[in-house]
Amino acid sequence: MVRKNIMLLVCMCLLLLVGVACSANIDEEKVTAIDSAKQAFMNKPKEINEKSGNTKFYLPSDYTIEKEEEHNIILHKGDNPVIIFINPNEGSSSQSISQRIEKKKEDYLAYEIFQEDDRVGFAAIKELSKDEYEVTTGVGGVKVTAQTKVKDLSKYAEDMMDIASSIKQKGK
């Protein structure tokens, strides 16, 4: 009996250790996610492969378009919605959205503003609940937002910055 209890205790401890070791750590992941967004911003924009109204952009293969409006596009990656907001009055050098994030920086776990040539990019991560986070990326007047688990923050940040960096509008 004692031997069974000891074995059970050892198994539970091992499972706990494996769970802790495999779980994503928000302190590490937020840094990795911001770095992923920054790298995507600094890279050459991905090739445009989608059009929605007057907006042309890169759409990763695992994303689908759910709804299109004049200045908003709702995408899906699996069950998660990803929202693109486009301010047609703002170019890629606009700081209006990034300045709003800067003013509310206490609301974010992490944020960074990037600049390259005539472009301004940003990435921000906000905690919504213990295991749900909002990630926002953008370039100028384009903002892309999604909610995800900590383990997916980096991939979303990279994909979303790839989308934001690629957006071309008619007449721009």
Side-chain angles (χ1 to χ4, degrees), residues 3-14:
R3 189 175 175 162
K4 268 187 172 179
N5 287 341
I6 291 173
M7 285 300 281
L8 181 62
L9 182 61
V10 168
C11 287
M12 288 174 48
C13 288
L14 285 174

Side-chain angles (χ1 to χ4, degrees), residues 87-165:
N87 183 338
N89 300 316
E90 304 285 344
S92 61
S93 63
S94 172
Q95 296 182 20
S96 64
I97 297 173
S98 59
Q99 286 174 345
R100 274 184 267 159
I101 289 172
E102 179 92 42
K103 286 179 183 175
K104 293 186 172 199
K105 61 185 172 190
E106 64 277 352
D107 294 344
Y108 296 92
L109 292 175
Y111 79 97
E112 190 170 336
I113 298 171
F114 328 115
Q115 288 193 284
E116 182 185 59
D117 300 327
D118 63 340
R119 298 182 325 134
V120 175
F122 56 90
I125 298 168
K126 182 187 289 189
E127 184 175 23
L128 300 175
S129 67
K130 183 176 168 65
D131 59 349
E132 194 74 22
Y133 296 86
E134 178 184 275
V135 59
T136 302
T137 66
V139 177
V142 173
K143 178 173 81 168
V144 185
T145 303
Q147 292 181 12
T148 188
K149 305 284 184 207
V150 68
K151 68 182 178 64
D152 297 322
L153 278 173
S154 293
K155 183 60 177 151
Y156 271 87
E158 180 180 356
D159 286 350
M160 292 163 48
M161 184 58 84
D162 283 339
I163 293 167
S165 292

